[in-house]
Amino acid sequence: MSDPSTTRAATPAWRRRLAGLLAGGQGAFAVPAILAVVLLLYPTFGGDQYWVRELSLIGLLVLVVSGVNLSFGYAGEVQFGQVFMYALGAYLTSILAVHGHTDIILLLVIGAVAASLAGLLIAIPALRIGGWSLAMASFFLVITIPDLVALTEKYSGGLNGLVGIPVPTFFGTELGANGLFYVTAVVAVLWLACYRNLVTSRYGIVFRVLRQSPILAGSIGYSPSRLKLLAYSLGALPAGLAGCLSGFLNGLVIPDSFGLTLAIGVVAASVLGGVESVYGAVVAAAILQLGPENSLSFHDYAPIAYGLFLIVAAVVFKRGLGGLGQTLALRISQLLVPPGEAAHVVASGSLSAHGADNGHGAPKAAPSLRPRESHALKVTGISKAYGGVQALRDVTLSAEPGCVTALIGSNGSGKTTLLNVICGYAKADEGTVEFAGARLDGRAPHQIAHQRVGRTFQTPSIPRGVSVLDVVASGRFDVDRCGVVASIFRLPRYWRSRRNDRVESLAMLDLVGLAHLADEEASALSLGTRRLVEVARALAGEPELLLLDEPASGLSEEEVELLGSVVQLAARAGTSVVLIEHNFRFVTSISDHIHCLHVGGLLASGSPEAIAADQKVIESYLGQPAQTPGEGAERRAAAAVAAGAEGLAPVHSGTLEVRGAVTGYGDLGVLGGIDLTLAGAGVELVLGRNGVGKTTLLSAISGQLRLWEGSVTLDGEDIGGLPAYGRAAAGIALVQEGKRIFRNRTVRENVVLGTYTLSIGRAERQALCDSLLAQFPVLAERADQPAGGLSGGQQQMLAIAQALASRPKILLLDEPSAGLAPAIVSEVFERVRALADGGMTVLLVEQLAEQALGIADHVTVIDDGRVVAYGAPEKFHDMRELQEAYFGGDPRPTDGPVPAPAGP
């Protein structure tokens, strides 16, 4: 391998400097600065007066479009109201000028302040409605401009417009055409500089975080409401400046200049130029101004043209012209400098590109985790209900400083709900949460984050276009604060904060083994890596209480081991760590204390060894004992008799084969090569702890999820290429977890909806539905009642009846017992057994292992996306095989790979 220093010497210095400029390095601001100087000198060197005026008008549109970029591209809120602020600035300052107040500096300040206040008022409903509702509300705001002008005709000139606007003055001296151009150019350049400084600072990152997830913004200490207010008020400010200047440039102000066509055009220009591009706004504004100038009939077709702008930008240039230019510049820089020498060529706005030195000293190594004095978390009597579902029931527990406290439990046990209550995302109905001597319950999430409470989420939420280093630095809001003014004007406090952010963030990345990825775009990384980035972000905030929600999901074995050491290191530094994780082996290996939740209540607490041996905990994972093996046979016989008495008609079973199934979600691999065979009538039971791929297997078979590798065949025909509806028509019916029915429709209508994969007539369809309802007497009695009024067990039976209405060959059942009382569970399981005895092939995924074993013909156990055990139900009645798969050990055969399990 060649010496990097030798490579550096081989590349001319000018190429390295040019590559740095193109890639957005420290000197990248020099290029637009030079262009700005050239622009300002244009009239001095005898520039054409036509272009002096055109450049002035382009400058106005640059101000308007860049304001849209701030609120839309960064804060993520679509709004057309920018034109309203533009009109407000124009009318207000022009009216003042007509009444003798012509000083341009004073009028610019008034226009900017008025527009910012208007933006602030618009932001208030935005806090509640947001999205396209806000877009439509602001759209109608533009429509009101002519009406408001008509109401203020005495001052505004009404629909005929305001004329007679005098020439503005600068400290008593009248500004001519060139003078007005200089003012416009200087205002546009200064605004772009301030805008660029803002969006390349910490606030640019947090605005992207807000766009990605307001919840995440709150978790790192920023108030989503205040951020939206800031984005709207700052985004409106340049529109007010532009409005002030437009009245003087045009000599009159008329309402037709601020119509819907301009509103749509501004948004189209923003998208075309790139909503996250500072200088793309300049190109887009030029197109918006010069396009109509070169076509007399443009105004007749403006909406069509702007619509094409939006389509082209969305389909061809997904990040707009600015994004396209940045990509091209980066590729050219990579050609100029060899890969081994290009470490300094990084994405624009990254901490590694800006503020690493800046004359304030090179960054020094920081300790990985500083010792800190933490406090105990005390949760007392917390109860929380969502509608009729009791998510938490009088939960009392604590997490001591310097310890890893784990929360475990089956799906729906209330673990994440409890974390949400602690963090303020859910309000407890009863109980208190205390930390560091302060009550956390009742506070907003960002206020709780100020108490040095760090949080990760089940699904990492990372904004696009942000480097790994910047993502980690965003967690340091409370540790090293830096205000908007300091960020915009690059005050010493900004440089100090930026340097500290870089040092500390690199230390956290080094801690999780990701320092080499500091300059990579975080959102483009694998799921496991993004989880580690999120952990680093939480640690960068120096939390005294660290809440981790399934951080090991999607990580490789090496990454899980690294994560465990990091979590323990945080605890040894004094942090109170609360961990939610389904991987029981990982939990027991790093935890000091474990709390087990079950159906919203605290089931058990103790050391990892005590919890692993607790029979109540084991039963909460595997299900309550229901019967002995002999009782299972008796129940099957009774169910068969009951089915016959109800007239259950025989059905045609199918043969389903799954071979080498590999799939997952996004870049998270879940199934790692599962083989499964179902042949003939019977119940195939799939067991495994939470998160190992049971539901994913059903989704892959039913077509809800595409296979990455492997095949699915039904009766010898490959159905892997069929969509979900095609597989349903072929004979595969899925009953999803959660009793998914149409609650506003009647019971009969729900059953009828299940028949639409069949090509049958109306009479036959009606007869089929009557037959199915007859097989479920409790449903037949309520056939004309809304399904939402049924009990949980009745809704589950209705979901099964709806699936049976398609006359399937294979019935897939996902956790049919979820949320049901024990007596109802037995009734549902009896119905499933009766279906199998009537000739149906059933694939059952179930958490209540012992009860499900009583109706099964064959059992397959999966763990980490692979088959680890299989056999007849009797093999698992002592539960030792299952306990090994769920809680530790490795039950896989040691003499080779597991063969495909035989079907029932």
Side-chain angles (χ1 to χ4, degrees), residues 173-430:
T173 303
E174 289 189 354
L175 294 173
N178 285 354
L180 200 52
F181 166 81
Y182 287 131
V183 171
T184 304
V186 168
V187 168
V189 169
L190 288 179
W191 163 252
L192 284 179
C194 293
Y195 174 41
R196 182 256 183 196
N197 286 351
L198 177 67
V199 299
T200 56
S201 73
R202 182 189 289 175
Y203 281 91
I205 300 168
V206 80
F207 278 140
R208 288 183 172 106
V209 171
L210 175 68
R211 178 192 63 199
Q212 180 76 14
S213 171
I215 292 176
L216 177 59
S219 75
I220 57 178
Y222 293 89
S223 167
S225 300
R226 291 179 184 175
L227 284 174
K228 287 186 178 182
L229 293 174
L230 177 64
Y232 273 92
S233 57
L234 287 180
L237 186 150
L241 294 173
C244 171
L245 295 168
S246 70
F248 297 116
L249 282 169
N250 295 315
L252 77 163
V253 181
I254 57 175
D256 289 346
S257 300
F258 310 101
L260 292 177
T261 299
L262 179 61
I264 297 172
V266 167
V267 174
S270 173
V271 174
L272 182 64
V275 293
E276 295 176 44
S277 172
V278 175
Y279 306 118
V282 178
V283 179
I287 295 173
L288 186 62
Q289 172 61 30
L290 298 178
E293 291 290 334
N294 290 280
S295 175
L296 295 177
S297 60
F298 181 87
H299 289 286
D300 296 333
Y301 304 101
I304 298 176
Y306 295 147
L308 289 175
F309 281 178
L310 290 170
I311 294 172
V312 169
V315 176
V316 181
F317 311 124
K318 293 187 177 179
R319 294 174 59 193
L321 296 175
L324 179 63
Q326 187 178 14
T327 301
L328 291 175
L330 187 58
R331 289 181 179 177
I332 294 173
S333 72
Q334 292 169 346
L335 293 175
L336 290 171
V337 180
E341 194 181 339
H344 68 291
V345 179
V346 293
S348 175
S350 172
L351 289 177
S352 50
H354 305 280
D357 188 347
N358 294 303
H360 298 276
K364 299 179 181 179
S368 295
L369 284 177
R370 297 186 180 89
R372 65 204 60 172
E373 181 180 354
S374 188
H375 309 271
L377 170 71
K378 297 180 180 179
V379 176
T380 307
I382 290 293
S383 295
K384 175 64 180 176
Y386 295 98
V389 178
Q390 192 70 35
L392 293 171
R393 306 169 187 271
D394 193 26
V395 175
T396 298
L397 53 83
S398 63
E400 298 299 322
C403 297
V404 178
T405 302
L407 297 177
I408 66 171
S410 58
N411 283 336
S413 59
K415 305 182 299 298
T416 297
T417 300
L418 181 58
L419 247 64
N420 288 339
V421 168
I422 295 172
C423 291
Y425 293 110
K427 184 179 180 181
D429 300 328
E430 297 178 7

